[in-house]
Amino acid sequence: MNNISKRQWINFSIWAVIYILFSIWVGNLWMLLGLIVIIDIFLTKFIPWSWWKNTKNIKLREAIEWMDDIIFALIAVYIINLFVFQNYQIPTASLEKSLLVGDYLFVSKLSYGPRVPNTPISFPLVQNTLPLLNTKSYLEWPNWGYKRLKGLGTVQRNDIVVFNFPAGDTIALKEQNPDFYNLVARDGRSAVFSNKERYGEIMYRPVDKRENYVKRCVGMPGDSLQIIDNQVYTNGEKAENPVNMQFNYFVETDGAALTEDQFRMLEINKSDRILVSGVNNHPTLLKLGFGTNGQITSHIYLLPLTKKSFDMINKMPTIKKVLIEPDIMAMSPMYPNGVGKYRTGWTRDNFGPIWIPAKGKTIQLDEKNLALYNRCIKNYENNSLEVRPDGTILINGKPETSYTFKYDYYFMMGDNRHNSLDSRAWGFVPEDHVVGKPILVWLSLEKDRSLFDGGIRWNRMFRRVEPK
């Protein structure tokens, strides 16, 4: 010990303090046994950790140096990705125009507290499948339970949140959209499991390896939420609407087609420019009051519009009529997808009222509550649930008339309200599925344009993600 230099003591002290603080933050004091390794690396050096630096084989030394750098980089990236932030790309238009398709985000894990991974042995920067190899990017063992470390805050109302897709616990490998449960409701359980050529293997994914989604939190634990004519109400009061919230509208012109400049002014992507005035749509459009004398000779579009773009398009001289897409035209099934005999009759634009589960709160078990909360009880809180022919409800083999929730839950929706599969379609988001909070757009690419014609959205570069 007398031969240990001052520099060694300084290096040891810095890394020891960092490691001790990390162990306390993680809440696992058994990790402090790792101090023995740190002591040996910096002070005692009983184990020749850097033996390869003394080898006379230059090629071997260079190869191990490269390997050492790569392993260190992978470990550093893995730790940062787990506990600090991760990159996320907006894949769909569900949050347009708040977040755009092609936005690349920094997602803060510290905002709500990082989770200890369920699958600690996994390949860094890959969510669940190794590209090219098309195999799992993680080992299913060991598998740890839910634990969230102390963060800077908690999920708040109107936060934009990245989370693991709750209905992604089970997937049909070849047909993942719609989700497995909607596939079963649509095609039948036996068909989905037996037709491997169409649906592929049916597989389970741990919580942290389910696909990442991003939506806005409109309902908090313990809230009663209802949607009436596209307006969200929480606890009986009208909710604050996002600034860039948009809906689908039928837009009829005087016969002239909308120009590229007009679409750009309205900020409508090419994939959203739907011309619906074809022959097959005549009956529906005529019922909505479009056309004259049973004929449609004008251009009729189905377009997503914000309030700003709605006001702009109504001022265009070539526009004859603008009508919001009726609720009846939304074809996607709504949660809880008619589980059992209970049917809600809820729709895309008129949904609820529904109570959002909160940790420690108790519900009475009946036909309605089982339909609404059976996924929470079974899939998210890992209980067995059985209903006997005589109506007796068994949870973990015991007769129960009530249930107390272990987790908080959230109701998530996209700002692009008519083009978002969200909690209206697949239900609640449990607290253990919450990944983090988007805080910065570091890159934004417009897929409809070339790099030299607005392909890079410079005005969005390094822009903070605003909550409203």
Side-chain angles (χ1 to χ4, degrees):
M1 296 292 285
N2 294 330
N3 296 326
I4 298 174
S5 67
K6 183 177 180 181
R7 181 177 179 180
Q8 286 176 273
W9 280 110
I10 292 174
N11 289 338
F12 164 74
S13 300
I14 292 172
W15 282 103
V17 169
I18 292 173
Y19 187 79
I20 290 170
L21 291 176
F22 181 76
S23 301
I24 294 172
W25 183 42
V26 172
N28 187 349
L29 297 183
W30 285 102
M31 290 179 59
L32 292 177
L33 293 174
L35 284 172
I36 297 172
V37 177
I38 295 177
I39 291 171
D40 190 56
I41 290 174
F42 291 100
L43 302 179
T44 57
K45 299 187 177 182
F46 288 122
I47 299 175
W49 301 96
S50 302
W51 61 268
W52 47 271
K53 292 183 178 180
N54 300 319
T55 182
K56 295 180 180 180
N57 189 326
I58 297 176
K59 291 185 177 181
L60 176 62
R61 185 168 66 245
E62 289 178 348
I64 297 179
E65 282 178 353
W66 274 101
M67 190 180 300
D68 183 62
D69 291 341
I70 291 171
I71 292 174
F72 179 81
L74 287 175
I75 292 173
V77 167
Y78 180 69
I79 292 175
I80 291 171
N81 193 62
L82 279 181
F83 296 104
V84 185
F85 67 83
Q86 73 178 62
N87 178 55
Y88 180 75
Q89 178 189 0
I90 298 294
T92 67
S94 67
L95 274 171
E96 299 261 345
K97 296 293 191 255
S98 302
L99 292 175
L100 307 181
V101 174
D103 280 352
Y104 289 78
L105 311 174
F106 282 140
V107 177
S108 167
K109 300 287 188 74
L110 297 175
S111 294
Y112 306 134
R115 296 172 302 179
V116 174
N118 301 113
T119 51
I121 303 177
S122 62
F123 197 85
L125 304 180
V126 178
Q127 180 61 18
N128 48 46
T129 305
L130 286 171
L132 300 179
L133 298 178
N134 201 30
T135 59
K136 292 180 182 179
S137 64
Y138 57 94
L139 296 182
E140 296 186 11
W141 188 92
N143 192 291
W144 298 340
Y146 169 58
K147 178 178 175 59
R148 188 177 296 276
L149 307 183
K150 183 69 175 177
L152 302 176
T154 57
V155 177
Q156 301 296 310
R157 194 184 310 278
N158 288 324
D159 276 1
I160 295 177
V161 181
V162 174
F163 55 91
N164 297 117
F165 181 38
D169 53 355
T170 307
I171 65 164
L173 202 56
K174 289 185 178 180
E175 193 167 343
Q176 298 185 34
N177 188 18
D179 64 76
F180 170 79
Y181 299 97
N182 275 313
L183 280 180
V184 169
R186 186 190 72 187
D187 301 338
R189 185 178 182 86
S190 60
V192 173
F193 274 86
S194 62
N195 192 345
K196 295 188 183 298
E197 184 176 346
R198 174 181 175 183
Y199 301 102
E201 293 293 331
I202 307 302
M203 62 179 293
Y204 171 84
R205 281 178 176 163
V207 171
D208 60 339
K209 293 306 174 185
R210 296 166 194 173
E211 297 295 342
N212 287 331
Y213 274 36
V214 59
K215 308 286 181 186
R216 187 181 298 276
C217 176
V218 299
M220 298 290 289
D223 279 352
S224 179
L225 181 141
Q226 187 171 13
I227 302 170
I228 303 174
D229 294 333
N230 288 309
Q231 174 62 53
V232 175
Y233 293 82
T234 51
N235 304 318
E237 297 184 1
K238 184 182 291 187
E240 181 181 3
N241 291 324
V243 173
N244 293 308
M245 181 177 67
Q246 61 182 17
F247 301 101
N248 286 344
Y249 290 85
F250 288 104
V251 177
E252 183 180 19
T253 74
D254 59 4
L258 293 176
T259 67
E260 179 66 25
D261 288 341
Q262 288 174 320
F263 280 125
R264 289 195 180 188
M265 181 178 65
L266 296 168
E267 298 182 324
I268 298 176
N269 298 323
K270 289 182 179 179
S271 59
D272 292 329
R273 304 170 189 176
I274 302 175
L275 183 66
V276 295
S277 50
V279 175
N280 292 335
N281 287 299
H282 276 190
T284 301
L285 295 174
L286 290 171
K287 287 180 181 178
L288 294 176
F290 292 99
T292 54
N293 299 322
Q295 296 292 323
I296 294 178
T297 58
S298 57
H299 283 75
I300 302 176
Y301 298 90
L302 182 63
L303 305 174
L305 301 174
T306 62
K307 185 180 184 305
K308 177 182 176 182
S309 57
F310 175 84
D311 293 338
M312 290 171 61
I313 205 166
N314 271 294
K315 294 177 181 178
M316 293 180 181
T318 58
I319 300 302
K320 291 175 57 179
K321 185 176 182 177
V322 180
L323 177 70
I324 194 167
E325 182 186 50
D327 193 17
I328 196 172
M329 298 191 70
M331 301 304 292
S332 298
M334 294 294 107
Y335 183 82
N337 296 335
V339 175
K341 298 178 181 178
Y342 182 73
R343 299 291 188 274
T344 64
W346 298 343
T347 64
R348 179 194 65 185
D349 302 340
N350 292 275
F351 185 96
I354 189 170
W355 179 77
I356 304 171
K359 185 188 300 182
K361 298 297 183 180
T362 301
I363 59 169
Q364 296 303 308
L365 297 176
D366 53 33
E367 185 181 51
K368 175 182 176 181
N369 281 346
L370 281 179
L372 295 176
Y373 305 113
N374 79 91
R375 279 190 58 79
C376 302
I377 297 170
K378 288 175 56 179
N379 299 62
Y380 307 146
E381 302 195 357
N382 300 315
N383 299 289
S384 65
L385 176 62
E386 178 187 353
V387 181
R388 287 180 172 172
D390 63 359
T392 302
I393 299 169
L394 301 180
I395 297 180
N396 298 323
K398 297 180 180 179
E400 300 286 358
T401 58
S402 64
Y403 181 78
T404 302
F405 291 98
K406 296 188 292 185
Y407 290 157
D408 280 329
Y409 291 81
Y410 303 92
F411 200 92
M412 305 287 187
M413 291 179 65
D415 293 352
N416 192 358
R417 293 289 165 85
H418 284 174
N419 297 291
S420 173
L421 285 176
D422 47 39
S423 286
R424 292 170 293 179
W426 34 254
F428 311 105
V429 175
E431 63 175 80
D432 70 326
H433 284 56
V434 172
V435 174
K437 182 178 182 178
I439 57 174
L440 184 74
V441 178
W442 64 272
L443 177 65
S444 186
L445 302 178
E446 172 57 72
K447 63 182 177 65
D448 291 340
R449 305 188 192 182
S450 68
L451 290 179
F452 304 103
D453 183 30
I456 300 177
R457 304 185 187 107
W458 296 102
N459 62 326
R460 296 185 65 80
M461 298 278 283
F462 298 102
R463 172 179 167 182
R464 283 180 56 84
V465 176
E466 299 296 335
K468 295 183 180 180

